[in-house]
Amino acid sequence: MELELTADQKLFQASARSLLEKDHSLDRLRRLEVGEPAWDRDSWQRGAELGWAATIVPEELGGGSVSGEGVRDLTLLAEELGSVVAPGPFLPVNVVLAGLVAAHGTGPDHTGTIEALASGEQIATWAVYEPGDQWSPDAARVTATPTGGGWRLDGTKDRVESGSEADLLLVTATTPEGLAQFLVPTAAEGVAVSPQWALDLSRPLAEVRLDSVVVDAGAVVGTPATTAEVLERQLQIALLIQCAEICGGLDKMFALTVQWGFDRYSFGRPLASYQALKHRFADMRTWLEACHATTQAAAEAVQAGSPDAAELVSVAKSFVAERAQWILQDCVQLHGGIGVTWEHDLHLYLRRATSDRALYGTPEDHRRRLADLSSL
Amino acid sequence: MTTAETESVESFRARARAWLADTMPRLDENAPLPVLGDDDHEWVRARELQKTLYAGGFAGICFPREYGGLGLSRAHQRAFTEETAGYEMPVQLNIPTFSIVAATILDMGTEEQKRERISAAIRGDEVFCQFLSEPSGGSDLAGLLTRAELDGDTWILNGQKTWSTSAYAADWGLCLARTNWDVPKHRGLTMFLVPTVAPGLHMNRVKMVNGSREFCEEFFTDVQLPASAVVGEVNDGWAVASRQLFHERNAVGGGSPFVSGLAGRPRALGGQSPFTVAKATGRAAEPGVRERVGEWVALETVKNQMVARVSRAIGTGTLPAPGAALLRLFHAEAAQRSTDLAMDVAGAQIAAGVGTEEGIAGRAGVSYLSRQGASLGGGSSEMARNQISERLLSMPREQSNDRDIPFNQVKRGRS
Ligand SMILES: Cc1cc2nc3c(=O)[nH]c(=O)nc-3n(C[C@H](O)[C@H](O)[C@H](O)COP(=O)(O)OP(=O)(O)OC[C@H]3O[C@@H](n4cnc5c(N)ncnc54)[C@H](O)[C@@H]3O)c2cc1C
Ligand SMILES: Cc1cc2nc3c(=O)[nH]c(=O)nc-3n(C[C@H](O)[C@H](O)[C@H](O)COP(=O)(O)OP(=O)(O)OC[C@H]3O[C@@H](n4cnc5c(N)ncnc54)[C@H](O)[C@@H]3O)c2cc1C
């Protein structure tokens, strides 16, 4: 959490909070049947009306942020959504927007798509992972082959968040000239989307098969010269959203566990009176502060477009994702038997954090990236 | 000075950059590793460097002008510290002289103490140390046994202190002693400023596991102190000590505004980072090694981000002062993880040096041996955890069997 919020930011936060209270409950999430969607387009539409897909989009493209610092507003929002493990395409839509906005003015024009995504009318997602692969966006095996006036895409993507619900896919593919990105409608001929089992109950995933999918030249996002930069921007926004939503979830679960420590008694004393447990609470409190510190610092760097932004998002991801596991598992432990039950909320947060840890680079991936970015 | 007259941070930075380039000696990265345990010349050097800073108008940046400082903001200090990268700086004076002892005198000292001691330190004339811990215990500081008794106008000090870092190089120590034994422990303490060369004060150096001899122990036998040596009020020394412990946690955690130049003391701790060790051992290409170096980079970065956030939160009152314990605790964790990672990276090479020299991998090994220093010096990690859980999270306090009992009736040791 930022240390000081402006009045506008507080209002923005409050509007998100009250919509989430109305539209969403952890209990509903817990009781989802297999195949039942975790969210519907109407609720996403209501979020978009509050600006959930607008923060990092410039006003002239249909966006706008309350503080004038869109990345920081996005982070604030991610914390709110994360604090209730909110379902919905918040991450994928904003990541695609990050890419489209970064590429804006360099390749084919996507103004219409940007506006439709910002208003909530359309939903898009990033198809970047491929079956069996670890995080390696540069090594896409999906190919894009030039045809007369356009491109033909072939191959398979998986772990595509909200793939079954999306209208558009941002596909990262390898062309004869190197890496490129394409906007592909899920309704296009040759696109087959099938649901994929997901650890996080609130985030449906899909496998996407592209079988001779033909798109025109206007589907390209950016130019060969800008692709690396655009990909980096998408990654930075994905990582920031993950870190911020984890922070929001941790705040909530830590507070719950502290309260439990005061309320639950053993041997005639509250759990919070045992030094063995107090010391673990102290460690968790410290890690939590550090998680906020590094997420906020990364958000400031990405907001400012500073040269160390790439490094700072990897610092944040590698740290926050790891400490989230430490904290949440300890929260489970301090809850005792109830903590490992389906009825308790903790697993919903643990699922989100574990899934966030895995996607867009694990802590180990980001540590190696940090070594690459240092002069080692 | 009003805000309107204050030099802007950027102008101060520009002036500092030019001055440093003209005046301060550059660090020699290829200089041989200094020998642990023999650092007397470094203290002479630190005083010289401090005098140079003072002459150039760059000493005591955050201390008030009336006590010899510049009265500038944390932002000015931060800018200056950033500019000092690559230059020799008197970093030995950061902890405890400026950030703990001078900071405590500034909060709690008499006008005379502030004028004389703080300005002397800023000029590079004096160095300070802390006489707090005793052989009977350091965590339970208020349970100390060194006594001071009033004889006419003169205080007579008797007892023993220990683990006082670099006291041999210091001129004055802040010494906490018991002045009333008939009241509960916190209410019978008084803080004194004691000259390290006072007659009756005998000092020994204590060799540490890494070979350093910066630890000292002191024996006080009828050491005479004037009434003006008292810091704060007689029998209210705990209030002074509490400020001192706050400054200590803050300083050790990296949050003090009175630290100038890089806060660490690479010499004393061996300073062999996983990065350096990876290069020295030729293992930089191994993925496992790269992961560990990346982890270290991340932790160092998070530590600094944490310092910035928590210092700001304490400054604005968002966090209460015990929040400094968060920095204290995280510092120890980061320092120890760094030591462990360096050991991992050194792998098989840690057990042996280069010929008869310890070399960089050997230094990582020595550093590993004194790993726990990071969670003891400046108050232990356990005490920091007590602070966080009790003061920030309001959890029940630990049982203590000496609360509200006159100190002379408190059980000490098994007998
Ligand atoms: C997989 C599994 C199988 C189980 N099977 C059975 C079974 O077959 N039959 C059965 O009767 N029970 C069973 N249990 C229950 C199990 O024995 C209890 O969960 C366990 O004893 C802890 O009790 P609790 O859940 O009430 O937590 P609590 O006792 O409330 O403890 C909560 C937390 O506080 C800690 N704590 C409590 N008191 C202290 C203290 N004095 N000092 C320090 N820490 C303390 C605990 O370690 C725990 O982390 C099972 C539990 C699990 C998870
Ligand atoms: C590098 C270094 C530099 C130092 N510099 C100075 C200095 O300049 N001046 C000075 O006066 N002192 C200095 N010290 C001493 C330091 O402050 C003490 O070592 C520290 O306060 C612990 O005191 P102790 O060593 O007596 O251990 P003890 O207080 O005897 O503690 C022993 C162990 O028990 C734990 N423990 C004690 N009480 C509790 C409790 N209530 N709850 C949980 N755990 C507890 C401690 O955490 C520790 O692990 C330094 C120490 C080191 C390592």
Side-chain angles (χ1 to χ4, degrees):
Chain A
M1 168 91 101
E2 300 217 18
L3 289 171
E4 297 107 17
L5 295 178
T6 64
D8 282 344
Q9 284 178 315
K10 281 187 189 149
L11 210 63
F12 185 54
Q13 187 184 42
S15 73
R17 210 170 273 178
S18 80
L19 180 62
L20 287 167
E21 271 166 24
K22 263 191 269 147
D23 268 9
H24 164 68
S25 87
L26 289 173
D27 222 36
R28 200 180 87 64
L29 206 52
R30 200 185 341 258
R31 304 208 186 290
L32 284 179
E33 302 286 343
V34 180
E36 189 186 345
W39 53 272
D40 58 59
R41 290 185 85 105
D42 287 349
S43 68
W44 174 243
Q45 184 71 51
R46 284 190 287 275
E49 278 159 22
L50 296 180
W52 292 6
T55 56
I56 56 171
V57 177
E59 275 175 28
E60 61 274 19
L61 294 174
S65 79
V66 292
S67 69
E69 296 189 308
V71 174
R72 299 177 74 163
D73 291 347
L74 181 81
T75 317
L76 184 66
L77 205 48
E79 258 184 48
E80 283 307 313
L81 292 158
S83 74
V84 294
V85 213
F90 178 74
L91 186 147
V93 168
N94 278 296
V95 168
V96 171
L97 279 168
L100 296 181
V101 170
H104 185 70
T106 66
D109 182 60
H110 294 292
T111 307
T113 303
I114 294 174
E115 287 171 356
L117 291 174
S119 69
E121 197 184 305
Q122 285 205 318
I123 289 167
T125 182
W126 188 11
V128 60
Y129 277 97
E130 299 188 9
D133 285 359
Q134 296 296 317
W135 177 246
S136 48
D138 296 344
R141 283 174 285 124
V142 165
T143 55
T145 315
T147 62
W151 299 83
R152 194 188 72 237
L153 282 82
D154 290 282
T156 307
K157 293 287 182 182
D158 78 344
R159 287 159 279 176
V160 181
E161 192 186 329
S162 297
S164 304
E165 295 77 10
D167 308 296
L168 286 169
L169 303 166
L170 177 60
V171 179
T172 306
T174 298
T175 73
E177 265 81 62
L179 219 53
Q181 299 202 100
F182 301 85
L183 268 181
V184 180
T186 46
E189 199 172 330
V191 177
V193 181
S194 51
Q196 188 172 19
W197 181 91
L199 187 67
D200 181 351
L201 303 176
S202 65
R203 289 241 165 108
L205 298 178
E207 188 179 88
V208 176
R209 272 203 298 281
L210 304 161
D211 187 9
S212 298
V213 176
V214 176
V215 292
D216 65 34
V220 175
V221 173
T223 64
T226 58
T227 299
E229 209 178 295
V230 172
L231 274 172
E232 175 64 31
R233 177 74 180 176
Q234 287 165 210
L235 176 64
Q236 290 184 6
I237 293 297
L239 296 174
L240 265 186
I241 292 177
Q242 288 186 320
C243 290
E245 69 183 13
I246 291 176
C247 283
L250 290 178
D251 277 344
K252 196 74 159 236
M253 288 301 100
F254 179 67
L256 183 80
T257 309
V258 168
Q259 192 56 50
W260 172 263
F262 285 111
D263 296 343
R264 178 99 175 157
Y265 276 62
S266 72
F267 306 92
R269 292 163 55 173
L271 295 183
S273 69
Y274 292 105
Q275 192 181 55
L277 305 188
K278 282 162 66 181
H279 281 193
R280 283 157 72 171
F281 280 112
D283 281 329
M284 289 195 264
R285 175 68 183 77
T286 305
W287 298 332
L288 191 52
E289 193 74 31
C291 285
H292 280 286
T294 190
T295 300
Q296 223 48 61
E300 282 164 33
V302 173
Q303 174 68 51
S306 68
D308 59 356
E311 182 183 341
L312 295 188
V313 291
S314 284
V315 166
K317 172 71 193 264
S318 66
F319 183 83
V320 173
E322 178 188 72
R323 300 305 156 113
Q325 306 290 306
W326 296 8
I327 294 172
L328 288 172
Q329 295 291 14
D330 228 24
C331 287
V332 173
Q333 177 64 21
L334 298 187
H335 269 85
I338 190 83
V340 294
T341 64
W342 189 271
E343 285 308 309
H344 203 275
D345 290 344
L346 267 163
H347 75 105
L348 301 172
Y349 290 81
L350 192 53
R351 285 168 189 277
R352 171 66 65 87
T354 308
S355 170
D356 275 343
R357 179 192 190 287
L359 298 178
Y360 306 110
T362 60
E364 293 73 24
D365 293 325
H366 285 285
R367 286 173 188 149
R368 287 193 303 275
R369 187 167 111 119
L370 286 170
D372 296 346
L373 291 170
S374 74
S375 47
L376 187 66
Chain B
M1 201 188 228
T2 67
T3 348
E5 295 168 273
T6 305
E7 182 176 5
S8 77
V9 174
E10 283 321 306
S11 148
F12 182 70
R13 180 195 291 277
R15 221 160 41 76
R17 182 178 301 165
W19 180 82
L20 285 161
D22 284 350
T23 324
M24 288 306 264
R26 297 240 169 217
L27 274 176
D28 177 5
E29 284 185 21
N30 302 316
L33 293 172
V35 182
L36 287 167
D38 171 24
D39 62 357
D40 291 17
H41 61 284
E42 288 183 29
W43 285 98
V44 175
R45 183 76 177 146
R47 289 181 192 238
E48 283 169 14
L49 292 167
Q50 183 64 29
K51 287 187 162 76
T52 309
L53 286 177
Y54 180 71
F58 289 101
I61 293 173
C62 286
F63 283 101
R65 293 164 65 91
E66 57 268 42
Y67 308 128
L70 302 183
L72 294 172
S73 72
R74 268 177 188 271
H76 290 85
Q77 177 61 67
R78 217 177 299 125
F80 185 74
T81 293
E82 282 164 18
E83 293 302 324
T84 61
Y87 294 100
E88 236 188 296
M89 281 286 289
V91 289
Q92 287 90 341
L93 303 179
N94 281 334
I95 301 179
T97 298
F98 287 121
S99 58
I100 304 178
V101 179
T104 305
I105 295 173
L106 181 63
D107 289 348
M108 311 300 282
T110 62
E111 196 53 31
E112 181 196 336
Q113 288 162 351
K114 288 193 254 192
R115 283 192 193 286
E116 294 190 357
R117 296 288 77 73
I118 296 177
S119 63
I122 292 173
R123 286 195 309 270
D125 288 340
E126 292 183 0
V127 173
F128 306 144
C129 67
Q130 308 196 79
F131 297 144
L132 295 174
S133 302
E134 300 190 358
S136 60
S139 299
D140 182 13
L141 180 58
L144 57 82
L145 302 177
T146 292
R147 62 173 67 226
E149 284 150 330
L150 206 49
D151 178 11
D153 284 345
T154 303
W155 289 97
I156 311 292
L157 193 64
N158 279 286
Q160 187 186 346
K161 294 286 177 181
T162 191
W163 319 140
S164 29
T165 304
S166 308
Y168 59 89
D171 304 279
W172 297 84
L174 266 185
C175 180
L176 192 62
R178 188 165 307 282
T179 40
N180 185 347
W181 297 68
D182 302 323
V183 292
K185 65 178 181 181
H186 292 104
R187 286 190 249 145
L189 301 169
T190 303
M191 188 72 81
F192 296 92
L193 258 171
V194 180
T196 54
V197 294
L201 193 167
H202 178 76
M203 191 184 289
N204 296 323
R205 292 178 71 165
V206 178
K207 189 170 175 182
M208 300 168 80
V209 287
N210 63 3
S212 154
R213 284 154 47 82
E214 67 178 22
F215 261 2
C216 292
E217 59 178 4
E218 300 79 22
F219 298 88
F220 303 89
T221 312
D222 293 331
V223 172
Q224 298 192 16
L225 299 169
S228 62
V230 172
V231 181
E233 302 295 321
V234 172
N235 290 327
D236 196 25
W238 189 248
V240 184
S242 297
R243 271 325 274 175
Q244 191 174 350
L245 296 181
F246 163 75
H247 286 302
E248 180 167 50
R249 282 188 200 101
N250 212 18
V252 172
S256 173
F258 303 116
V259 161
S260 197
L262 294 175
R265 290 170 306 154
R267 179 198 57 77
L269 295 174
Q272 303 317 309
S273 77
F275 183 94
T276 322
V277 177
K279 291 224 156 172
T281 54
R283 301 188 69 191
E286 293 176 41
V289 166
R290 298 186 76 75
E291 242 165 59
R292 287 174 172 82
V293 171
E295 181 181 350
W296 172 74
V297 169
L299 264 184
E300 290 296 303
T301 309
V302 176
K303 189 175 76 181
N304 294 333
Q305 294 165 337
M306 174 91 161
V307 166
R309 178 180 170 92
V310 171
S311 309
R312 203 166 114 227
I314 292 176
T316 60
T318 313
L319 264 181
L326 296 167
L327 297 183
R328 170 70 195 90
L329 186 56
F330 197 69
H331 160 80
E333 183 184 326
Q336 295 181 344
R337 186 67 190 143
S338 168
T339 316
D340 297 352
L341 289 166
M343 182 174 71
D344 283 2
V345 170
Q349 298 187 44
I350 207 165
V354 180
T356 55
E357 301 285 307
E358 59 197 3
I360 285 178
R363 202 40 97 87
V366 172
S367 195
Y368 178 76
L369 299 181
S370 34
R371 164 187 203 279
Q372 299 306 125
S375 53
L376 290 168
S380 74
S381 285
E382 287 75 22
M383 298 313 286
R385 290 188 178 99
N386 284 349
Q387 281 256 323
I388 294 165
S389 55
E390 294 172 7
R391 307 288 297 280
L392 292 186
L393 300 173
S394 309
M395 293 184 162
R397 300 189 63 156
E398 285 307 298
Q399 177 190 341
S400 50
N401 296 344
D402 55 5
R403 191 168 295 161
D404 301 330
I405 297 175
F407 190 73
N408 53 19
Q409 291 168 33
V410 168
K411 189 168 152 86
R412 294 194 290 275
R414 283 155 61 96
S415 51

